Amino acid sequence: MAHGILTRSASVTAKLAARARSLIWAPAASVCGGRTTASVPLISIAAHRAAPGFAAPCGPIGTPRCVHTAAASSASIKQVAFEPDTLPSVGLSTSGLDAAEGDLLVLAVTEEEFATEGEVTSINSVQLGQLDENLGGVLTEIVAWGGFDGKQGSSSRVVRYTGPGTKAKHVAMVGLGKGAKLTATADWGVSPFQALGSAVATLAKTNKAVDVAVALLTQPDPALREPALAQITTGALLGGYESSRFKSKKSSTASKLASVQVLMDLDAAAADAAIAKGVAAARGNLVTRYLVEASPNVCTPTHLAEAAAHIAAKSPDVFTLKVYEKDECEAMGMGCYLGVAEASAEPPKFIHLKYTPKGGSASRKIAIVGKGLTFDSGGYNLKAGAGSMIELMKFDMGGAGATLGAARILGELQPDDVEIHFIIASCENMVAGAGLRPGDILTAANGKTVEVNNTDAEGRLTLADAMWFAQEKCGVSAMVDIATLTGACMIALGTDIAGLFTPSDLLAASLTAASKAAGEKIWRMPMEEEYFESLKSPVADMRNTGARYGGSISAALFLKEFVKEGVEWAHLDVAGPVWNEKLGLPTGFGAQLLAEWAVAQGAAK
């Protein structure tokens, strides 16, 4: 996107330079926490223009400084968490409905349990009719109110209950949809079990329920029970999400849910594994949401680096972390990335979080590369006017959020036989006299030159150097980049679907399978090679933007120029689905999809 910076006095500049932070995290050492007292030499704007970030690599990577600081712009904001301290507990219950206790009993039912004639719906199942009789006719009462017929994700009214058949204080129903489509992997969108968990959480939040029991009227096939329980768990932990961290008063509508008991016939060990997987997916999604919803004066590049350190500390047996500072990136010749970062007062942070399976060996090395623009002004091509969405450009690090969310999940699941590199070239795109201008030519780490004809097409510049790092420094054989890259993709696919771009049918198939398992929608888009003609430059190897039409395709073709022969690569444009405009909340999109894909890479032979 873009940058902006005002002229600063030498003293202010010195203070900002002194805040430059270098972070190394490894299992044997914690994040450094002292402040530097050494003076930092100042360089002029002219020197910035000639810095190695805009030219060829210059010297070896230096020893990083051990400095811990907070961003000046966020000095008045208290330290915020990277994920919730606690989550509701989820457990398995093998007892019957008559023993179910708590504030709310939720019955999961299919559409076939009901019959509708005209506008009147009635119970149409012997099993549900018998249960209704055991519960003193409360289900007939619920159905008589209307508006509920078992469709997927729908919920009935909640009825106060003190009769026979259960010890729960209230009773409600949630629809699973058509019984013939009861599966843990839907062809499109969320599965019935994900929708069930989410609806249960919403009912609990609306009715201030603390303890909830969930009973499936018809038990799923034995092979479906473990994944079904995992998805119910994830849905139940995410369905009541509310953003309240930055409000001065405690939310009066916040969920009070403390425990969910799922009545299912399942082995205890299998249930524990399923619940653990569901909890891990929820934690990763929440890490992503927390990062994406945070304001840009909180979620700075330094904040993203600290989030990576938080994740590494959660699973120190499998994670190591290195955060490269600006001078180290200059030494690696990352001119495209540093060109974008140049106008910001916030120091850029190049984040490399590495997952190594227990035992240390892996037959496959992969990378997940996330776009980490913590704010995008558009630069000199300023985002202005209606529809520019500049006020929402805090979510331009949605790809980075998903990358770190996936890392959080994988730290819990710990797949075998795959080494995973999580890479984020994080910075802000601002406006300043020292910043990137339309017409500037940048040199990427792989030596290619780029004429910048639009400073608001900055994400692809940062990704280019990050993708080079994944291949040259990490030696990966496959990588997926994820980015809120283009408004054009939102025009093409709307706000619920991410665009998938890849020349590899095999990688497209594996990501599509992962998206179905996660319940996150992606759609493969064409890689029309002829569109690259509009990216050609008369003065450099290429421009950073092409023709007006097919903008998401030309963006993917730009990125393809930075993929080495023999490396599998895919690009996910998630500009639409990372944010729920209606609710004004992040969705956590991408974290679970990427984690599912990475686990499958470890399992593939």
Side-chain angles (χ1 to χ4, degrees):
M1 315 300 184
H3 3 337
I5 173 175
L6 301 176
T7 302
R8 302 187 298 268
S9 67
S11 62
V12 173
T13 304
K15 290 179 182 179
L16 289 168
R19 284 176 31 234
R21 160 190 157 110
S22 181
L23 174 68
I24 296 182
W25 195 97
S30 62
V31 176
C32 303
R35 289 184 180 272
T36 182
T37 57
S39 60
V40 179
L42 304 180
I43 57 176
S44 65
I45 290 176
H48 272 291
R49 294 275 180 212
F54 292 86
C58 161
I61 298 173
T63 302
R65 296 175 298 277
C66 200
V67 181
H68 180 82
T69 63
S73 59
S74 60
S76 61
I77 302 293
K78 66 181 181 179
Q79 181 65 38
V80 298
F82 298 111
E83 61 181 284
D85 291 332
T86 60
L87 292 174
S89 66
V90 180
L92 177 73
S93 174
T94 56
S95 61
L97 284 179
D98 56 343
E101 297 181 320
D103 301 301
L104 176 63
L105 169 63
V106 176
L107 301 172
V109 295
T110 64
E111 291 183 39
E112 288 81 3
E113 313 288 348
F114 306 93
T116 301
E117 293 186 12
E119 297 182 358
V120 179
T121 299
S122 59
I123 294 174
N124 188 43
S125 159
V126 173
Q127 185 179 15
L128 188 60
Q130 182 61 56
L131 180 58
D132 180 45
E133 184 177 335
N134 294 343
L135 293 173
V138 67
L139 303 183
T140 296
E141 181 183 348
I142 290 172
V143 173
W145 266 314
F148 179 76
D149 56 8
K151 285 186 170 54
Q152 179 175 315
S154 64
S155 56
S156 75
R157 291 197 181 195
V158 175
V159 175
R160 174 77 177 175
Y161 186 69
T162 57
T166 183
K167 297 178 182 178
K169 299 174 183 176
H170 297 82
V171 176
M173 290 186 285
V174 166
L176 290 170
K178 296 186 181 299
K181 294 185 177 181
L182 278 184
T183 176
T185 304
D187 286 336
W188 190 244
V190 299
S191 77
F193 303 111
Q194 287 172 293
L196 169 61
S198 182
V200 167
T202 301
L203 280 173
K205 180 179 180 181
T206 303
N207 294 277
K208 301 187 182 304
V210 176
D211 301 306
V212 177
V214 181
L216 285 75
L217 187 60
T218 301
Q219 291 285 304
D221 292 338
L224 285 180
R225 290 176 193 176
E226 191 170 342
L229 181 55
Q231 292 180 354
I232 293 170
T233 299
T234 301
L237 297 180
L238 297 176
Y241 185 77
E242 179 178 324
S243 177
S244 59
R245 291 182 296 152
F246 303 106
K247 295 181 179 180
S248 59
K249 295 182 180 179
K250 188 175 181 180
S251 172
S252 61
T253 59
S255 176
K256 298 182 181 299
L257 184 63
S259 71
V260 177
Q261 291 293 312
V262 181
L263 281 64
M264 185 179 287
D265 185 10
L266 186 63
D267 174 78
D272 288 343
I275 292 169
K277 182 178 179 181
V279 170
R283 288 192 187 282
N285 180 284
L286 288 166
V287 164
T288 303
R289 293 196 197 202
Y290 268 36
L291 290 171
V292 175
E293 79 176 8
S295 59
N297 64 321
V298 171
C299 187
T300 62
T302 297
H303 185 77
L304 283 182
E306 291 171 344
H310 164 80
I311 292 166
K314 289 289 184 182
S315 304
D317 52 339
V318 293
F319 279 129
T320 55
L321 171 66
K322 172 72 196 293
V323 176
Y324 293 87
E325 295 302 321
K326 178 181 177 181
D327 56 351
E328 297 173 290
C329 294
E330 286 177 343
M332 289 187 282
M334 294 183 175
C336 286
Y337 165 45
L338 294 176
V340 174
E342 193 67 15
S344 176
E346 293 289 341
K349 302 290 179 181
F350 190 96
I351 301 163
H352 177 207
L353 180 64
K354 178 183 177 182
Y355 170 88
T356 304
K358 289 180 178 177
S361 64
S363 62
R364 189 158 169 77
K365 294 182 181 181
I366 64 172
I368 296 172
V369 181
K371 177 184 171 184
L373 268 292
T374 58
F375 185 73
D376 175 25
S377 71
Y380 278 110
N381 293 104
L382 186 69
K383 293 180 183 292
S388 71
M389 297 176 67
I390 191 170
E391 73 283 357
L392 283 176
M393 283 302 106
K394 65 180 184 179
F395 74 40
D396 210 26
M397 41 62 62
T403 298
L404 292 176
R408 182 70 175 93
I409 296 170
L410 293 165
E412 295 287 322
L413 300 182
Q414 299 197 357
D416 295 327
D417 203 33
V418 61
E419 179 180 293
I420 311 165
H421 298 265
F422 305 90
I423 299 167
I424 300 165
S426 183
C427 62
E428 289 182 325
N429 184 23
M430 303 295 283
V431 183
L436 188 64
R437 301 163 297 195
D440 282 353
I441 296 177
L442 304 180
T443 302
N446 71 346
K448 288 183 181 289
T449 57
V450 179
E451 178 190 4
V452 178
N453 62 342
N454 189 331
T455 61
D456 196 22
E458 84 302 328
R460 65 199 69 182
L461 297 173
T462 66
L463 288 170
D465 284 337
M467 290 163 58
W468 168 85
F469 184 92
Q471 296 166 96
E472 296 296 332
K473 299 296 185 180
C474 305
V476 303
S477 59
M479 63 180 172
V480 175
D481 80 76
I482 180 167
T484 52
L485 205 64
T486 68
C489 200
M490 297 173 68
I491 298 300
L493 297 176
T495 58
D496 294 336
I497 306 167
L500 166 63
F501 300 81
T502 179
S504 168
D505 292 339
L506 184 63
L507 190 49
S510 64
L511 284 166
T512 299
S515 75
K516 290 181 178 181
E520 297 179 328
K521 299 175 183 177
I522 64 173
W523 190 261
R524 190 177 185 184
M525 300 284 279
M527 297 281 288
E528 183 58 55
E529 295 291 344
E530 290 186 5
Y531 288 8
F532 187 78
E533 289 295 317
S534 67
L535 289 170
K536 291 183 177 179
S537 166
V539 296
D541 292 330
M542 69 190 89
R543 296 187 176 104
N544 70 325
T545 62
R548 176 184 178 188
Y549 300 108
S552 61
I553 299 174
S554 60
L557 292 173
F558 177 91
L559 293 175
K560 184 173 177 284
E561 290 296 300
F562 298 89
V563 181
K564 292 173 60 177
E565 186 175 351
V567 175
E568 280 192 295
W569 160 77
H571 162 59
L572 289 170
D573 192 331
V574 295
V578 299
W579 191 259
N580 185 319
E581 186 175 1
K582 182 178 180 181
L583 298 178
L585 292 172
T587 63
F589 185 95
Q592 192 175 350
L593 185 165
L594 293 169
E596 292 278 358
W597 174 71
V599 169
Q601 300 311 295
K605 299 299 180 184

